[in-house]
Amino acid sequence: MAQRTLSTEHPVASIRVSPNGNRLRLNIIGSLNAPGTASIWDDTINPVRTGKYTHVEVDCSDITYIDGSGVALLLKLREEAGLSGGKLELNNLKDEHKKLITLTWDCDLTQLISINKEHRGLAEAVGETTEELMKGLHDLIAFVGESSVMIIQSIRHPGQVRWKDVFLSCIHVGVDSLFIITLLGFLMGLIMSFQSAISLQRFGGEIFVPNMLGLVMFREMGPLVTAILLAARSGSAFAAEIGTMKINEELDALTTMGLSPMRFLVVPKLLSALAMVPIMTLFFNLASLVGGAVVMLSLGFPLVTFTSRVFSYLGYGDFMGGMFKALVFSILVAGIGCLRGIQTRSGASAVGLSTTSAVVSGIILIAFADGIFAIAFYYLNI
Amino acid sequence: MNTNDPIISIQNLTCGYDDTVIVDNVSFDIFKGEVFVILGGSGCGKSTLLKNMIGLYQPMNGKIFFGTDELTGAQGEQRDKIICKFGVMYQMGALFGSMSLLQNVMLPLEEFTNLPREAISMVAQCKLAMVNLENAAYKLPSAISGGMKKRAAIARAMALDPGILFLDEPGAGLDPISSAELDELILNLSRTLGITFVIVSHELESIYKTADRVIMLDKDVKSIVAEGDPKQLRDTSENLFVKRFFHRQPSLGKTGHDKNVSTAE
């Protein structure tokens, strides 16, 4: 990276070093601004650091200008002289320079440096990580419990739900993502059908592409891709929105007004995700069938063959299973987005971390849940 | 204290947002080593004027000079050269939240100087020591109080030893002790190092204590309505708005009464 440096208004400094037994005399000449100090830093510090002088004398009579950099140099000299058991003496210091130096001369900066040198062992690091994981798990369980209670309460008392917020959230979560979800569905249907058709063509089995496409999209890919899109678009947005509110103490304000942040912020988002994700999945599935149909038509199969093969092979259980998965995924993704938002610490970077964590945790949860569904559906013969 | 040549010169400056003029055609000079305060009621354009003076916003009209260098229209290296002449403390500190106080102060030194790493660290420690924060050097901004944040922001603003420091409402939101400590710091840095302070404030106690000279803006006339020593203005000004401001009296429109000052003009 090109470094911009301050222009030198004062002439650059130089140093004259005169050792005399266990005494060292340094004559600093010129300007001790940043460029001047930088040019003589090593030449000034190294003789004091390497030699064991009991007395280091700095002749300041030829210093024409001094600022914070120059003071830092003199402080460093004092520190290095002290480490060798020596003493630093400043001679012929001009009054105007003395004013600046006295501002920081009495501060013990060596003590400050040692504060930072805190090293942690492996055991401590493992312990700390485990504690954080356990706390995260505890928070997750508490959040699942609280949000479940809230949703049940909302169903029992729909008047308590802030429906305006739910509808607004539905627009952000569902309506605004309609184009991208349809496009994704169409392209995935097109690509999967085309790739499968090329492989199956060798065995004369292109006719089975619609069977595969319907099953894969309705059972697996539809809920999965929709949930991943939800994590990327809405989960991150939930985390960022609630996280920013947390930093601005808006969550505290809600609490002190007697309003539950869960009811006020989380429930509308969960309800909107619950309402929108099955619809989004449906759009994805239908768009993927259109993509598949385009491939089959281009291969010379009539549309009726495609549709009859899709719907004769695809069972009601496949469709409902896919929709149920979409519902569960939506709760997981929206819930983890809100939870990460609530867990946001302070600072602008914390919002970024929450957003990233919301997406990563959401996708991991989706993958886990999908694995559990695969095993459960297998044993339930769905 | 003042020399004949101003360190900052504002000439016929008009500034605002989009088509809305907030401050119209103001001119004033600031001299080396003085504590200069821009004051006025809420919404009169104090912060807007400050942001134009430090080059964050482009003025609608007029010129801003730092010494002989013109900031308005300056670009590239020329602009960098002018910007290095001053440091800015923002209203909320504007410290980088992911960095410790020491790293915050080290940042401009790393970017603008060729000092070795240990020198940069030492300079940053000195700056923190100047504002009595040497023991909080490794803390994050989120772990310190509002007063400490403001002091740390001053330390960062001083990192490159600028001759001018702009402070945007330094005493706002501070307790009286922290506010008084900040005033002491400003006076100390001004008197000891000869730093010129340009402060935006409406904290009267601090203004009386620190300011050498003030200008007062009024949002109705969109311009300067008073200029001079704050105590003199308080005691001698005949301007109705100036009297109300210094005597903390509510405006006529809000209360229906014009307490004791209706005969002032």
Side-chain angles (χ1 to χ4, degrees):
Chain A
M1 187 181 71
Q3 194 178 50
R4 294 170 295 172
T5 51
L6 291 169
S7 62
T8 316
E9 285 178 4
H10 302 267
V12 177
S14 62
I15 177 86
R16 205 178 298 140
V17 184
S18 323
N20 182 13
N22 55 4
R23 291 174 74 90
L24 181 74
R25 190 167 188 275
L26 300 167
N27 186 14
I28 299 174
I29 303 148
S31 169
L32 283 188
N33 57 2
T37 307
S39 68
I40 61 163
W41 183 272
D42 289 338
D43 294 338
T44 312
I45 299 293
N46 285 342
V48 183
R49 189 176 279 165
T50 49
K52 297 279 180 194
Y53 298 105
T54 55
H55 197 91
V56 179
E57 182 196 334
V58 181
D59 184 0
C60 305
S61 57
D62 294 325
I63 296 176
T64 55
Y65 172 83
I66 189 164
D67 66 13
S69 318
V71 176
L73 177 70
L74 297 177
L75 281 165
K76 190 72 187 170
L77 273 177
R78 187 183 67 172
E79 184 190 316
E80 291 296 338
L83 288 173
S84 314
K87 228 178 108 181
L88 182 82
E89 190 185 326
L90 302 178
N91 290 336
N92 306 321
L93 198 59
K94 289 172 186 162
D95 282 345
E96 65 263 33
H97 299 162
K98 202 179 275 179
K99 279 182 191 170
L100 176 66
I101 291 167
T102 46
L103 277 177
T104 46
W105 196 250
D106 294 334
C107 299
D108 189 3
L109 299 176
T110 51
Q111 223 175 28
L112 187 149
I113 293 158
S114 63
I115 296 167
N116 195 34
K117 290 180 178 168
E118 186 189 329
H119 294 293
R120 289 191 177 169
L122 182 65
E124 273 178 292
V126 170
E128 196 182 346
T129 312
T130 311
E131 193 195 344
E132 271 179 24
L133 277 174
M134 295 304 287
K135 193 178 174 303
L137 195 65
H138 174 268
D139 289 350
L140 186 65
I141 292 167
F143 181 79
V144 168
E146 200 176 349
S147 47
S148 305
V149 169
M150 283 287 172
I151 287 180
I152 292 165
Q153 268 185 1
S154 305
I155 293 164
R156 287 178 62 192
H157 308 285
Q160 287 184 354
V161 178
R162 295 174 59 83
W163 290 110
K164 195 181 164 191
D165 291 348
V166 175
F167 291 134
L168 276 174
S169 192
C170 281
I171 291 169
H172 293 314
V173 172
V175 179
D176 290 351
S177 64
L178 202 62
F179 173 74
I180 181 94
I181 200 78
T182 312
L183 183 72
L184 270 178
F186 176 77
L187 289 174
M188 285 199 74
L190 191 97
I191 293 160
M192 283 188 75
S193 304
F194 190 67
Q195 294 293 345
S196 313
I198 290 169
S199 307
L200 290 172
Q201 216 167 22
R202 282 187 288 177
F203 312 104
E206 310 98 294
I207 192 72
F208 297 110
V209 168
N211 304 31
M212 180 275 308
L213 188 71
L215 199 66
V216 167
M217 288 299 171
F218 277 74
R219 274 183 76 108
E220 261 325 307
M221 296 305 284
L224 199 66
V225 173
T226 311
I228 290 172
L229 186 79
L230 183 78
R233 270 191 93 252
S234 305
S236 56
F238 292 165
E241 183 189 333
I242 298 177
T244 309
M245 290 179 80
K246 172 96 182 279
I247 287 175
N248 291 339
E249 297 177 326
E250 290 173 48
L251 296 193
D252 296 342
L254 281 175
T255 310
T256 49
M257 281 192 275
L259 301 168
S260 160
M262 286 294 287
R263 186 177 75 78
F264 207 81
L265 295 171
V266 177
V267 169
K269 289 176 173 53
L270 289 180
L271 288 178
S272 65
L274 268 172
M276 284 296 116
V277 171
I279 299 171
M280 286 160 69
T281 310
L282 207 60
F283 268 94
F284 179 91
N285 292 342
L286 293 175
S288 70
L289 291 184
V290 174
V294 170
V295 173
M296 293 309 286
L297 286 172
S298 69
L299 291 173
F301 292 94
L303 191 62
V304 68
T305 310
F306 176 79
T307 49
S308 65
R309 289 201 73 87
V310 168
F311 293 115
S312 64
Y313 196 70
L314 193 69
Y316 191 66
D318 298 321
F319 173 73
M320 289 310 288
M323 285 296 130
F324 182 69
K325 276 164 77 166
L327 271 179
V328 174
F329 290 166
S330 70
I331 284 281
L332 290 175
V333 170
I336 202 76
C338 294
L339 176 64
R340 291 292 180 258
I342 288 169
Q343 287 173 332
T344 303
R345 291 174 189 178
S346 55
S349 60
V351 178
L353 289 175
S354 294
T355 312
T356 309
S357 176
V359 177
V360 172
S361 308
I363 291 172
I364 290 171
L365 282 177
I366 293 165
F368 266 112
D370 202 31
I372 293 166
F373 273 122
I375 297 164
F377 283 3
Y378 176 76
Y379 282 108
L380 293 170
N381 273 332
I382 296 172
Chain B
M1 187 182 298
N2 297 356
T3 59
N4 289 331
D5 296 327
I7 196 166
I8 303 171
S9 183
I10 308 296
Q11 297 176 1
N12 308 107
L13 190 78
T14 300
C15 52
Y17 304 99
D18 300 324
D19 294 332
T20 313
V21 174
I22 309 283
V23 179
D24 190 19
N25 196 26
V26 294
S27 299
F28 56 91
D29 291 330
I30 300 168
F31 298 93
K32 186 172 165 47
E34 73 176 345
V35 179
F36 184 86
V37 177
I38 301 167
L39 55 85
S42 299
C44 70
K46 301 185 297 288
S47 293
T48 307
L49 178 60
L50 183 92
K51 282 173 181 168
N52 277 269
M53 286 171 75
I54 59 178
L56 278 182
Y57 300 152
Q58 196 66 22
M60 291 169 163
N61 200 10
K63 289 177 177 177
I64 300 162
F65 286 92
F66 283 81
T68 52
D69 301 320
E70 188 183 343
L71 177 66
T72 35
Q75 286 185 336
E77 275 185 27
Q78 195 196 349
R79 186 181 159 82
D80 283 351
K81 190 185 153 201
I82 300 170
I83 281 173
C84 286
K85 286 184 178 180
F86 61 80
V88 185
M89 189 213 86
Y90 295 92
Q91 204 167 343
M92 306 303 288
L95 297 167
F96 303 115
S98 57
M99 296 179 181
S100 67
L101 301 191
L102 188 69
Q103 287 169 326
N104 263 285
V105 183
M106 284 169 71
L107 184 70
L109 291 159
E110 287 167 345
E111 286 295 315
F112 284 99
T113 71
N114 52 1
L115 285 166
R117 180 87 186 157
E118 63 176 352
I120 286 175
S121 174
M122 191 60 108
V123 175
Q125 287 167 33
C126 289
K127 301 297 174 193
L128 286 171
M130 277 186 191
V131 295
N132 295 323
L133 281 176
E134 62 269 35
N135 294 324
Y138 294 101
K139 287 187 176 169
L140 289 174
S142 56
I144 60 172
S145 69
M148 289 165 87
K149 272 183 199 160
K150 298 211 172 191
R151 279 188 281 147
I154 290 180
R156 187 179 66 180
M158 291 194 308
L160 294 172
D161 292 295
I164 308 159
L165 280 182
F166 287 93
L167 313 184
D168 192 1
E169 306 217 7
L174 295 185
D175 64 88
I177 297 169
S178 303
S179 188
E181 284 173 355
L182 205 60
D183 293 342
E184 286 295 330
L185 178 68
I186 291 166
L187 280 176
N188 193 19
L189 293 172
S190 167
R191 306 296 177 243
T192 319
L193 304 179
I195 294 175
T196 307
F197 280 89
V198 182
I199 303 172
V200 163
S201 178
H202 43 213
E203 307 273 324
L204 290 175
E205 286 299 317
S206 296
I207 292 166
Y208 294 141
K209 195 170 168 188
T210 56
D212 293 318
R213 200 156 57 92
V214 303
I215 56 165
M216 183 180 279
L217 299 175
D218 182 10
K219 71 176 169 185
D220 293 330
V221 294
K222 297 179 179 176
S223 189
I224 298 170
V225 288
E227 184 173 354
D229 177 77
K231 284 176 187 161
Q232 264 185 4
L233 286 177
R234 178 192 61 189
D235 298 335
T236 60
S237 177
E238 291 299 311
N239 183 295
L240 185 62
F241 175 73
V242 176
K243 284 187 84 105
R244 277 206 184 104
F245 189 92
F246 281 111
H247 293 97
R248 299 167 63 90
Q249 288 168 337
S251 66
L252 184 63
K254 293 278 166 62
T255 61
H257 300 286
D258 193 5
K259 295 172 185 171
N260 304 327
V261 291
S262 54
T263 55
E265 277 192 340

